Structures are given as C-alpha cells and as structure tokens.
Amino acid sequence: MSGNNGNKLMQRISYACGTFGHDIFYMMVSTYFIMFITSNLFNTEDQSHNEYMIGIIMTVILVIRVAELFIDPFIGNTIDKTNTRWGRFKPWVIVGGFVAALSLAILFTDLGGLTTSNPLLYLIIFAILYLVMDIFYSAKDVAIWSMVPAMSFDSKEREITATFARIGSVFGAQLVTVMVIPIVLFFSKDANGGVGDANGWLAFALIGGGVSLLGAVILGLGTKEQASALRENKKETTFKEVFSILGKNDQLMWIAITFLIFCFGQDLVNSFQMYYFAYILGDSTYLSFLGIINVIIGLLAVALFPVLTTKFKRRNLFFYSIVIMIIALIIYAFAGTNSVLVLIAAGLFNLPQPLVFLVVLMTITDTVEYGQLKIGHRDESLILSIRPLVNKLSGAVTSAIVGFTAVWVGMSGKATADSITDSNKMMFELIMFAVPIVFMLIATLLYKTKVTLTEEKHAEIVKELERTWKDISK
C-alpha cells in the first residue's frame, strides 16, 4: 500500500513539474510578450510608425487567437483519438512544448532587423510563427489538463491532483514575475527606463522556454494514465460532431462563458501591472517583490483548496474569491504611488486567482462525465480544450486592449513615468481597475444563475455511469 502511495506521490510531483514549466511559458506569452513588443520591438525615430506597427501586431495576435476558437476543439478531438505506447497525452506535451518554446524564442527577436529593413515581410513571418507557437502550445495545454480526468473519477482525488498541479503552476507563473526584471536588466546593455533592451528580453525567452520544456519532459517520464472501462468509447467523435458535442453539454458552455468574462477582468489587471509599476509607481523593480508575495500567498491558497472546498463548497468559494478581488481593486485604485499599499492590493488581488481557476477546472473536468451520461460517449481532451481556449481568447483580447491602451496613454517606446501626463494616468487607471470590476460582477451573476453542476451531482452521475455505461455505449 505504501508503495502505491509513493508512486502516486511521485506522479503528482512529476505532474506539478509539468504545470510549473507550462505556466512559466503561459506568463511569458500572456503578460510579458506584450511588454517586449511595446517597449523594444519597434524603436525607430518615427514614433507614429512605431505605434502603427504595434497596432498591427496587436491585431494579428487578436485575429489568430479568435481564429483558434475554431481550431482548439479539433486539437482536443485529435488528442482524444491518439493511441501510442506512451499514452494519449504525453507525446503532445513533449512535442508541443519543444515547438512552442523554439517558436517563442524567435518571436522575442526582430528577426534579424526585419522590423526596420522589411516591415511587411516581418509581419508575415511573425503571423506564421505566432500561429505555429499558439497551435503547439494549445496541444500541450489541452493534453496536460486533460490528464486530470484520466487519472481518477473521484472528485476529491481530482481536487488533490489538481492542487498539486496548481501549486506547480502558481510557483511557475509567479517565479516569472519575480525574475523577469532581474533577468531582463542583467542581460540588457540599456536599462531603457527599467524595461530593458532586446538582448535582455531574448535571454528571458530562452531561459523561460528551456525551463518549460524541461518540465514537460519530467511530466512525460513520471506520469501514467488510469485504465478504466468508463474511458472506453464504442464510437469516436468525428470532426463533424465536434461543435455539436460541445453545444449539447450545457454546463460546459455556461462555466466556459462565466470563466471567459471573469478572465477578461483578471487578465486586464495582470497584464497592466508591469505598466503600472514602470509608469505610475515609477520603479519596475517592485514587480519582483510582488512576485515573491504572490508565490507565498498563491501556494498557500492552492494548498488549502481541498480544505476550503470541504468547508465552503466550490460555489461559495467562487463567490468569496470574487469579493476579495473586487475589494483589492478598490484599494489598488486609491494606492497611487504608495508602494506598500500597491503591493498589498496587488497581492490581495492575486490571492484568490488560483482558487477560482481550480473551481472552474474541477467543474469543467466534471462535465466530462456529465456529457458522457447526457450524450452517450466520453470526450476528455475535447471538453478540457475549452479551458485553455478561454484563457487564450481572453489573453488575446486583453493583450490587444493593453497594447492599444499603452500607445494611447503614451506608455511605449522610450516613455518614462515622468513623461506620462496626469490625464493619461487617470485614463489608464480607469481601464485597469473599473472595467475589470464590471466583468467580475457579470461573471458572478452568470455563475450563480446558470452553473448548477456541484460535487454532489457529479458523484451521482458517476454512480449512474458505473451502472449503465456498458449499455449506453453500445
């Protein structure tokens, strides 16, 4: 028995190593790539040209991410049909991790000076590279999180596995926040007002991508899927059926819409934070202090997740988390240049984020069995592809908003805190704080009225599947 527990522990640790590296990559793409674009990618003497090119890049990213709304479900469907000696998911994790890391490292350059010598060619290559990076990142993302329902059918066991995974991802994501400025500035020849130069950002991309790939390899070597009759389909979902299968799973759709609106608010604040520290607070090095704070409170919050769900249940935990985040934003909005108050507010805003993620992930995971009973066949990766799809769509929309806002209020190129006018600072803070609060209130209303799949209902569904699955799947 102790041997089994030891194997299970090693599997959870290996899984957490994979999510650790994966969220390092996610933070690089979703939060800091946009800072590289606005501060370093276009630095000609013609500021209007620089801003125009930044706008084009933001539009390209947004279009690609929106187009992937129609690609990601097919990626999930393809993973569901994968059958190799290494399992269904691990090949996608490792290969996807390698291609995505390589592509992102190239994107953190000006492609040998093409941004100035041939801007049109640069934009074409950029779009191709970004699409390749995004597709292989998606395959890796879907495969990693699809392993949760493949490891266990029990909701509590899934919560424990997901807790380990989220501990890894929180540590990875916040380690990026701690290390981004020190790494970028260490390798930069020009501090550039605290946001570094192209050399520093390339070093950041290479280091982060390398760690992400290492985590994928550890996950591949140390995890194993659970074999079960409930995971066997008599009939595969065809490409033609992909969207109809998703549409019939009403609980999946409602939790996805809720999470998307929530992410609009959360991602706006997270993406704006480096700008706030550099151009409002006037000292980007404080971002590393925030990263340290977020590591501590994030790991604490995730470690307590199984206890909190037992005490409060997932629904209440979701509501309490939103309340804390809104209070944090109100404090943040009035913090101004008070660095202590800024750090307190930013840390408080981050505290419930991993809890909301886990509530949503567990609910989406449970919709695998909900859809299995309702529709008549099981689609693990297809259903789990919805969560990363939501994150990417939100990241694309919010990155576009951040990019255009940065140009609008003068936070691009060689800008400094002293060069931003008071009116522009006020407009920036309105978008950073007021808009996210509205999104979070809408998400709360949707969750309260439309999401009804609880832990108790899921347990009943699993019992019914155990009794009837052989007959349903014939």
Side-chain angles (χ1 to χ4, degrees):
M1 189 74 174
S2 60
N4 289 336
N5 288 337
N7 292 336
K8 186 175 290 187
L9 177 61
M10 287 306 299
Q11 177 163 272
R12 290 170 178 167
I13 292 173
S14 298
Y15 191 49
C17 288
T19 58
F20 167 79
H22 189 61
D23 263 46
I24 284 179
F25 191 90
Y26 172 76
M27 286 293 286
M28 290 167 62
V29 174
S30 66
T31 303
Y32 298 110
F33 185 50
I34 185 66
M35 175 59 85
F36 163 73
I37 291 172
T38 59
S39 66
N40 275 280
L41 192 54
F42 302 102
N43 275 325
T44 69
E45 296 300 321
D46 186 349
Q47 184 63 17
S48 62
H49 172 76
N50 296 340
E51 294 175 354
Y52 172 77
M53 291 298 292
I54 291 171
I56 295 294
I57 290 292
M58 294 299 100
T59 304
V60 168
I61 292 174
L62 180 60
V63 169
I64 289 175
R65 285 291 177 91
V66 171
E68 275 216 77
L69 282 172
F70 303 97
I71 298 175
D72 279 12
F74 293 105
I75 292 174
N77 183 245
T78 301
I79 294 173
D80 276 328
K81 296 175 181 178
T82 299
N83 186 16
T84 73
R85 58 181 292 190
W86 301 283
R88 179 177 297 168
F89 307 112
K90 290 187 284 187
W92 292 98
V93 172
I94 295 173
V95 174
F98 174 76
V99 176
L102 179 61
S103 303
L104 186 64
I106 299 173
L107 286 169
F108 267 94
T109 72
D110 61 2
L111 300 180
L114 284 181
T115 52
T116 53
S117 64
N118 196 331
L120 179 59
L121 180 59
Y122 171 82
L123 290 173
I124 293 171
I125 297 175
F126 176 91
I128 295 171
L129 278 173
Y130 195 91
L131 180 61
V132 169
M133 181 275 294
D134 215 30
I135 288 175
F136 279 91
Y137 166 78
S138 294
K140 180 190 177 191
D141 198 14
V142 172
I144 283 180
W145 294 107
S146 295
M147 296 180 76
V148 175
M151 291 179 181
S152 176
F153 288 88
D154 179 69
S155 285
K156 292 306 295 183
E157 178 60 28
R158 287 177 175 179
E159 287 179 359
I160 294 172
T161 301
T163 297
F164 270 79
R166 195 56 181 164
I167 286 174
S169 64
V170 166
F171 187 41
Q174 298 308 326
L175 185 63
V176 177
T177 303
V178 173
M179 297 304 298
V180 57
I181 292 299
I183 289 174
V184 169
L185 293 182
F186 179 82
F187 288 98
S188 293
K189 296 178 181 179
D190 179 3
N192 191 21
V195 294
D197 63 20
N199 293 325
W201 284 103
L202 178 57
F204 168 68
L206 291 171
I207 293 170
V211 174
S212 175
L213 181 57
L214 178 61
V217 172
I218 293 173
L219 181 148
L221 294 174
T223 58
K224 186 177 181 180
E225 299 173 35
Q226 175 183 321
S228 171
L230 291 187
R231 295 187 65 221
E232 297 176 4
N233 275 325
K234 301 297 181 183
K235 177 179 178 297
E236 289 185 342
T237 300
T238 66
F239 280 162
K240 290 182 179 179
E241 296 174 314
V242 164
F243 288 106
S244 65
I245 291 297
L246 295 175
K248 291 175 183 176
N249 195 325
D250 59 289
Q251 285 302 288
L252 173 63
M253 290 295 96
W254 281 119
I255 189 63
I257 293 170
T258 298
F259 189 49
L260 176 62
I261 295 172
F262 166 81
C263 283
F264 283 155
Q266 172 188 270
D267 292 349
L268 269 178
V269 178
N270 290 342
S271 297
F272 272 131
Q273 280 187 142
M274 189 169 182
Y275 290 87
Y276 190 96
F277 280 72
Y279 300 117
I280 303 296
L281 192 60
D283 190 346
S284 61
T285 60
Y286 274 103
L287 195 67
S288 295
F289 293 110
L290 174 61
I292 295 170
I293 293 170
N294 286 347
V295 167
I296 296 170
I297 63 177
L299 293 178
L300 178 63
V302 173
L304 290 175
F305 179 73
V307 176
L308 294 174
T309 53
T310 300
K311 183 175 179 61
F312 299 111
K313 298 300 181 183
R314 292 178 194 164
R315 290 183 66 80
N316 290 332
L317 188 57
F318 182 92
F319 297 138
Y320 296 151
S321 296
I322 296 294
V323 169
I324 292 172
M325 294 176 79
I326 290 176
I327 292 173
L329 287 179
I330 294 172
I331 297 173
Y332 214 152
F334 289 97
T337 57
N338 185 323
S339 58
V340 174
L341 201 55
V342 167
L343 290 173
I344 291 173
L348 188 62
F349 180 76
N350 183 78
L351 175 63
Q353 289 184 35
L355 299 178
V356 174
F357 176 92
L358 284 170
V359 168
V360 171
L361 176 64
M362 291 298 93
T363 305
I364 291 177
T365 301
D366 287 352
T367 66
V368 171
E369 285 77 39
Y370 177 86
Q372 185 176 358
L373 181 62
K374 182 176 181 179
I375 300 166
H377 50 98
R378 185 178 180 88
D379 302 276
E380 292 171 341
S381 291
L382 173 58
I383 287 176
L384 268 295
S385 71
I386 295 300
R387 200 280 310 159
L389 183 154
V390 166
N391 277 126
K392 289 197 303 176
L393 177 59
S394 173
V397 172
T398 54
S399 290
I401 294 173
V402 170
F404 286 120
T405 301
V407 171
W408 182 26
V409 301
M411 296 179 179
S412 62
K414 299 293 184 179
T416 64
D418 293 334
S419 69
I420 312 299
T421 66
D422 289 341
S423 60
N424 280 347
K425 288 180 180 179
M426 183 179 299
M427 185 58 64
F428 172 83
E429 292 179 8
L430 184 66
I431 298 172
M432 181 175 177
F433 302 125
V435 174
I437 289 176
V438 173
F439 281 130
M440 289 180 185
L441 290 174
I442 295 172
T444 302
L445 179 62
L446 282 176
Y447 187 83
K448 181 177 178 60
T449 57
K450 296 297 184 180
V451 180
T452 60
L453 182 58
T454 62
E455 299 94 314
E456 293 78 14
K457 287 187 178 181
H458 175 257
E460 294 173 4
I461 289 170
V462 171
K463 287 182 181 179
E464 182 65 14
L465 283 172
E466 290 173 341
R467 186 179 68 83
T468 62
W469 178 238
K470 290 183 180 179
D471 295 328
I472 293 175
S473 61
K474 283 181 180 178

